[in-house]
């Protein structure tokens, strides 16, 4: 095998330097370099070699994908640990390497006999241009090895001088924050035992001022649902890396002789022209998975904000009938159906239908739902246990804790069930399997409503993965939604086992515009649960019109979380129009390319989806606050093939915002025909909208050329 490899895909080049006996280095990760001969690859590596400088090592340090302190790396080591009192940093020597035939995938075997470890690295460039990297370490020494961290890294070039990551909290997930990429370490650690509402989905570095459509950007995601860490690090010698992996608590990974630990996949994406390109690689990668949902994403009615814990069979049957009339295709019964669950203080773990509330069981409701042409789903929280439950009274030792001597602080009046215990795991698997078999349930809304405090997160996360995998194996048609206090468990690890995420418990349309905008950097629309709530938001107290609520939910996996039995006939009829639009558009929305414009007015957001073949696009113009200008200026509509001509018209029912429509532009009624290039570079005059309103535009390719 050659010492230099050049992987190319979808506009991305990954160059790997395998010369010598050290671990692989990455001379280039970024824009496609075109075809390069072996000589030109060698010249590329020679051209970027650093000289020795005063006060540093005699031989310049070579940065590998697993940076080693033993080689002189002064930053965060890629691997750390100790064996008894010996904490010598490993110095791996490559023993073998291979490229998977027909794939852009490298496997490297290395070892350090002195420290007693072997290392396996896997590096690949997917068809979407996404870099994936993971490492496995095995203890070959005579005694236990205590692993501290295993954190692969990818370099970024000098022009990446600005960092973007995300933070947030319950009901306000995915808030962006930006700052300079200075010398030192910008470290984001999550110790919540789940991905976390404040987790950064992506650690992004890029050129100063990069946007959705401009500037070079590089970003990493850690595909793990438990504790994790990601970092951006720059040294005075000019090295800059993005790195990430599982955050291991002290003593969590103790490798006996022969034992191995494998890091989560670290996924890297590059954008030559901004965040949309970086985001699009993740979307294409996810859509290419064998388990990615391909059937039309059904309009989902969830009962939580409609009835909360006040479950009554007759009321819920009426709600199901009204939902079906509006066009719903799936009915999900939320929290409150099982024994003792009249509020959030009891019942978790007792996964039996409550005979007092449901004397005939769930079958009559399920039969009604199926008879109306809808599928049936059920809320569960299998990883949790209420101290006030039959299960906790029978098995108090099943509560997850770092030590039996103390119980972790309660959260939402509940504790965590230790699924790493075979008996607890078997109980939960048996109960869920029995429910799915008995009642023809084909969907689980899988919730997770508290952090893991003072508890081992690694083994719990691995057990949850095993549990979901086992259920999917027994019920191949089962779909699972990842819910975790809303958007608290959104990552590519859980999405190997689930079919969508509940993006946030906040359904306020204004908040959801931002939450969905930034969660959508990682996930395509069909994976983002987006519901139409009640006119008065239950989580913020804001009041929004139906068109704003529905137009916001349109650009996700559309659903309803509203007591439709209390809605007026006019509201239900209008909702049915939006449902019909979603059902007509979902083949476009859930396969097309997501685009976002960099509009200069921060009060007006422009986003949309362009069909894969470029024949059609739908855009939303969203007025989030009072505009800077009145009348509004032009907005660019990005992403359409530049040479094609498009007829642009308002799209009903999003063609007129609720309330007075003070200043529609002259072209509004009859439409306008322009090329994709003109729409992207010059744009069209936007209507002047009141705050918290939106309108939809549709662009359809004109077959007979310019008009």
């Amino acid at each position: 095998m050659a010492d230099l490899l050049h992987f190319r895909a979808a506009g991305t080049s990954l160059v790997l330097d395998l010369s010598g006996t050290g671990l692989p280095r990455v001379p280039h990760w970024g824009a496609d370099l075109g075809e390069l001969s072996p000589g030109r690859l060698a010249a590329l590596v020679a051209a970027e070699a650093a000289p020795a400088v005063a006060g540093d090592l005699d031989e310049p340090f070579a940065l590998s994908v697993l940076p080693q302190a033993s080689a002189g790396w002064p930053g965060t080591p890629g691997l750390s640990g100790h064996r008894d009192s010996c904490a010598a940093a490993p110095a791996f020597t490559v023993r073998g390497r291979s490229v998977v035939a027909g794939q852009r995938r490298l496997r490297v075997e290395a070892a350090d006999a002195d420290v007693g470890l072997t290392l396996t690295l896997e590096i690949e460039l997917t068809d979407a241009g996404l870099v994936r990297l993971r490492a496995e370490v095995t203890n070959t020494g005579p005694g236990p090895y205590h692993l501290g961290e295993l954190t692969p890294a990818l370099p970024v070039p000098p022009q990446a001088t600005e960092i973007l990551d995300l933070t947030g909290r319950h009901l306000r997930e995915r808030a962006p924050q930006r700052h300079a990429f200075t010398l030192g370490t910008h470290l984001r650690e999550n110790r919540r035992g789940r991905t976390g509402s404040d987790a950064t989905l992506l650690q992004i570095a890029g050129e100063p001022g990069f946007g959705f459509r401009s500037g070079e950007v590089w970003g990493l995601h850690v595909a793990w649902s438990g504790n994790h860490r990601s970092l951006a690090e720059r040294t005075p010698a000019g090295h800059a890396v993005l790195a990430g992996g599982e955050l291991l608590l002290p003593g969590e990974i103790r490798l006996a002789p022969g034992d191995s630990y494998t890091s989560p996949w670290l996924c890297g994406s590059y954008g030559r022209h901004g965040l949309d390109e970086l985001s699009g690689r993740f979307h294409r990668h996810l859509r290419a998975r064998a388990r990615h949902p391909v059937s039309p994403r059904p309009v989902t009615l969830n009962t939580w904000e409609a009835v909360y814990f006040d479950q009554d069979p007759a009321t819920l049957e009426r709600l199901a009938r009204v939902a079906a009339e509006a066009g719903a295709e799936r009915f999900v019964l939320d929290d409150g159906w099982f024994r003792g669950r009249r509020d959030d203080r009891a019942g978790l773990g007792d996964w039996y239908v409550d005979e007092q509330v449901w004397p005939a069981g769930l079958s009559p409701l399920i039969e009604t739902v199926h008879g109306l042409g809808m599928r049936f789903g059920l809320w569960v929280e299998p990883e949790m246990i209420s101290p006030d439950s039959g299960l906790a009274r029978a098995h108090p030792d099943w509560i997850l804790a770092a030590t039996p001597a103390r119980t972790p602080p309660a959260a939402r009046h509940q504790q965590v069930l230790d699924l790493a215990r075979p008996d607890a795991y078997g109980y939960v698997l048996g109960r869920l399997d029995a429910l799915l078999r008995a009642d023809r349930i084909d969907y689980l809304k899988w919730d997770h409503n508290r952090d893991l405090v003072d508890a081992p997160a690694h083994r719990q996360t691995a057990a949850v993965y095993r549990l979901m995998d086992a259920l999917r194996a027994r019920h191949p048609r089962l779909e699972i939604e990842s819910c975790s206090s809303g958007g608290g468990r959104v990552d590519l690890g859980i999405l190997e086992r689930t079919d969508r995420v509940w993006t946030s418990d906040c359904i306020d349309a204004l908040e959801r515009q931002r939450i969905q905008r930034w969660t959508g950097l990682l996930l395509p629309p069909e994976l983002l649960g987006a519901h139409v709530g009640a006119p008065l938001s239950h989580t913020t107290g804001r009041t929004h019109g139906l068109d704003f609520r529905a137009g916001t939910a349109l650009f996700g996996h559309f659903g309803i979380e509203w007591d439709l039995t209390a809605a007026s006939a006019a509201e239900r009829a209008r909702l049915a129009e939006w449902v019909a639009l979603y059902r007509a558009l979902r083949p476009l929305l859930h396969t097309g390319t997501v685009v976002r414009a960099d509009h200069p007015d921060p009060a007006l957001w422009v986003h949309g989806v362009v069909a894969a073949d470029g024949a059609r696009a739908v855009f939303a113009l969203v007025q989030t606050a009072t505009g800077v200008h009145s009348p509004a200026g032009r907005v660019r509509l990005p992403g359409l093939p530049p040479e094609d001509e498009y007829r642009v018209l308002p799209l009903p029912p999003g063609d007129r915002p609720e309330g007075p429509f003070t200043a529609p532009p002259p072209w509004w009624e009859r439409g306008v025909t322009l090329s994709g290039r003109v729409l992207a570079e010059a744009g069209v005059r936007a209507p002047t909208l009141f705050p918290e309103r939106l309108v939809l535009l549709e662009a359809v390719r004109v077959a007979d050329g310019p008009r």
Side-chain angles (χ1 to χ4, degrees), residues 144-189:
Y145 184 83
H146 300 271
L147 183 65
E149 63 180 287
L150 186 58
T151 309
L154 286 169
V156 294
Q159 60 265 35
T161 59
E162 188 170 281
I163 291 173
L164 167 69
D165 59 11
L166 305 173
T167 184
R169 59 170 173 80
H170 181 227
L171 305 178
R172 197 180 183 277
E173 298 88 341
R174 313 297 168 248
Q177 54 185 16
R178 298 175 74 133
H179 54 87
F181 190 172
T182 55
L183 294 177
T185 304
H186 174 66
L187 176 64
R188 294 293 306 277
E189 290 190 336

Side-chain angles (χ1 to χ4, degrees), residues 343-492:
D343 53 34
D344 66 356
R345 294 174 177 267
L348 291 175
D350 296 345
W351 301 114
Y352 296 85
V353 177
D354 193 315
E355 300 88 348
Q356 295 182 8
V357 177
W358 300 94
L362 296 178
S363 293
L365 176 63
I366 294 173
E367 290 172 4
T368 297
V369 167
H370 287 166
L372 292 166
M374 295 187 292
R375 308 170 206 174
F376 186 85
L378 194 66
W379 180 95
V380 292
E381 194 172 1
E383 301 159 63
M384 301 297 158
I385 183 171
S386 298
D388 184 6
S389 67
L391 185 66
R393 285 185 282 274
H395 297 286
D397 53 319
W398 287 8
I399 293 174
L400 181 66
T403 171
R406 62 175 182 264
T407 301
R412 208 188 182 218
H413 315 290
Q414 65 192 51
Q415 294 288 347
V416 181
L417 187 66
D418 187 354
L419 291 177
R421 293 181 59 109
D423 43 5
Y425 175 95
Y427 165 79
V428 173
L429 176 59
R431 288 308 312 142
L432 294 180
D433 182 51
L435 285 166
L436 293 171
R437 291 186 187 280
D439 284 320
R440 294 174 296 144
I441 298 164
D442 60 9
Y443 183 86
L444 291 179
K445 180 181 179 183
W446 189 301
D447 214 338
H448 180 290
N449 275 313
R450 61 155 296 162
D451 293 342
L452 275 60
V453 178
D454 191 29
H458 172 80
R459 68 179 193 178
Q460 182 75 0
T461 305
V464 171
Y465 284 175
R466 290 196 304 273
L467 179 61
M468 288 185 171
D469 292 343
L471 276 174
R472 299 289 292 252
R474 295 185 184 189
H475 303 273
R477 302 178 72 177
L478 174 68
E479 291 197 6
I480 300 176
E481 173 181 7
S482 173
C483 178
S484 185
S485 307
R489 187 153 66 183
V490 177
D491 62 81
L492 299 192

Side-chain angles (χ1 to χ4, degrees), residues 93-306:
T93 299
V94 171
R95 301 286 180 83
R97 61 198 193 201
S98 61
V99 174
V100 179
Q103 299 182 30
R104 297 172 294 271
R105 187 166 187 168
L106 171 69
R107 181 182 176 91
V108 174
E109 306 285 348
D112 182 341
D114 294 330
V115 174
L117 297 175
T118 62
L119 177 73
T120 300
L121 292 170
E122 293 179 86
I123 309 168
E124 70 173 341
L125 183 66
T126 72
D127 291 342
L130 201 71
V131 176
R132 299 209 310 161
L133 169 64
R134 70 178 175 184
E136 179 184 72
V137 62
T138 301
N139 179 15
T140 58
Y145 184 83
H146 300 271
L147 183 65
E149 63 180 287
L150 186 58
T151 309
L154 286 169
V156 294
Q159 60 265 35
T161 59
E162 188 170 281
I163 291 173
L164 167 69
D165 59 11
L166 305 173
T167 184
R169 59 170 173 80
H170 181 227
L171 305 178
R172 197 180 183 277
E173 298 88 341
R174 313 297 168 248
Q177 54 185 16
R178 298 175 74 133
H179 54 87
F181 190 172
T182 55
L183 294 177
T185 304
H186 174 66
L187 176 64
R188 294 293 306 277
E189 290 190 336
N190 172 74
R191 299 173 181 269
R192 298 183 179 277
R194 54 176 172 170
T195 319
S197 300
D198 58 341
T200 178
L201 293 188
L202 291 161
Q203 183 83 270
I204 297 171
E207 293 181 315
F210 63 83
F212 287 110
R213 308 295 298 181
S214 64
E216 276 194 288
V217 286
W218 295 259
L220 290 188
H221 169 80
V222 180
W224 181 248
S225 308
N227 292 340
H228 60 278
R229 63 203 306 264
S230 62
L231 58 95
E233 195 162 53
R234 189 185 297 278
T235 73
H239 295 294
V241 299
L242 300 177
E246 183 180 6
L247 189 158
L248 298 172
L249 300 179
E252 267 198 303
I253 301 298
R254 177 184 179 274
L255 299 177
D259 285 352
S260 300
Y261 167 83
T262 303
S263 72
W265 281 109
L266 187 64
C267 303
S269 185
Y270 165 75
R272 178 68 184 87
H273 301 289
L275 293 169
D276 276 359
E277 188 178 343
L278 176 149
S279 173
R281 298 190 192 283
F282 282 106
H283 294 186
R284 291 192 297 277
H285 171 74
L286 287 166
R287 286 169 171 170
R289 300 172 302 158
R291 288 206 65 106
H292 191 74
V294 294
S295 61
R297 299 293 77 208
V299 177
T300 299
L301 185 287
N302 192 76
T303 66
W304 179 241
E305 288 198 1

Side-chain angles (χ1 to χ4, degrees), residues 427-607:
Y427 165 79
V428 173
L429 176 59
R431 288 308 312 142
L432 294 180
D433 182 51
L435 285 166
L436 293 171
R437 291 186 187 280
D439 284 320
R440 294 174 296 144
I441 298 164
D442 60 9
Y443 183 86
L444 291 179
K445 180 181 179 183
W446 189 301
D447 214 338
H448 180 290
N449 275 313
R450 61 155 296 162
D451 293 342
L452 275 60
V453 178
D454 191 29
H458 172 80
R459 68 179 193 178
Q460 182 75 0
T461 305
V464 171
Y465 284 175
R466 290 196 304 273
L467 179 61
M468 288 185 171
D469 292 343
L471 276 174
R472 299 289 292 252
R474 295 185 184 189
H475 303 273
R477 302 178 72 177
L478 174 68
E479 291 197 6
I480 300 176
E481 173 181 7
S482 173
C483 178
S484 185
S485 307
R489 187 153 66 183
V490 177
D491 62 81
L492 299 192
I494 204 68
L495 275 161
E496 285 299 307
R497 297 153 177 91
T498 57
D499 300 276
R500 81 166 191 168
V501 301
W502 183 225
T503 318
S504 176
D505 281 343
C506 180
I507 317 178
D508 177 309
L510 181 61
E511 297 292 334
R512 271 303 189 105
Q513 282 287 335
R514 177 187 48 76
I515 293 169
Q516 292 170 197
R517 180 183 185 89
W518 293 103
T519 309
L521 275 185
L522 182 67
L523 304 184
E526 64 269 24
L527 298 180
L528 300 176
H531 290 185
V532 180
L536 177 67
S537 170
H538 291 202
T539 55
T540 67
R542 286 195 189 99
T543 299
H544 288 131
L546 176 53
D547 289 350
F548 187 59
R549 284 142 52 213
T552 298
L554 180 71
F555 291 88
H557 180 175
F558 189 97
I560 305 160
E561 195 139 348
W562 176 16
D563 182 5
L564 293 181
T565 65
S568 68
E571 287 176 317
R572 293 199 297 269
R574 187 64 169 177
L575 176 62
E577 292 183 52
W578 280 98
V579 170
L581 177 65
Y582 167 77
R583 291 171 66 168
L585 288 180
R586 63 189 167 192
L588 162 63
L589 297 172
H590 297 168
T591 63
T593 301
V594 175
V595 295
R596 309 163 188 89
D598 293 313
H599 192 63
D601 184 349
L604 181 58
W605 290 7
V606 182
H607 67 89

Side-chain angles (χ1 to χ4, degrees), residues 632-644:
R634 292 185 301 185
V635 293
R636 294 174 172 180
L637 305 180
L640 294 163
E643 304 305 325
D644 291 346

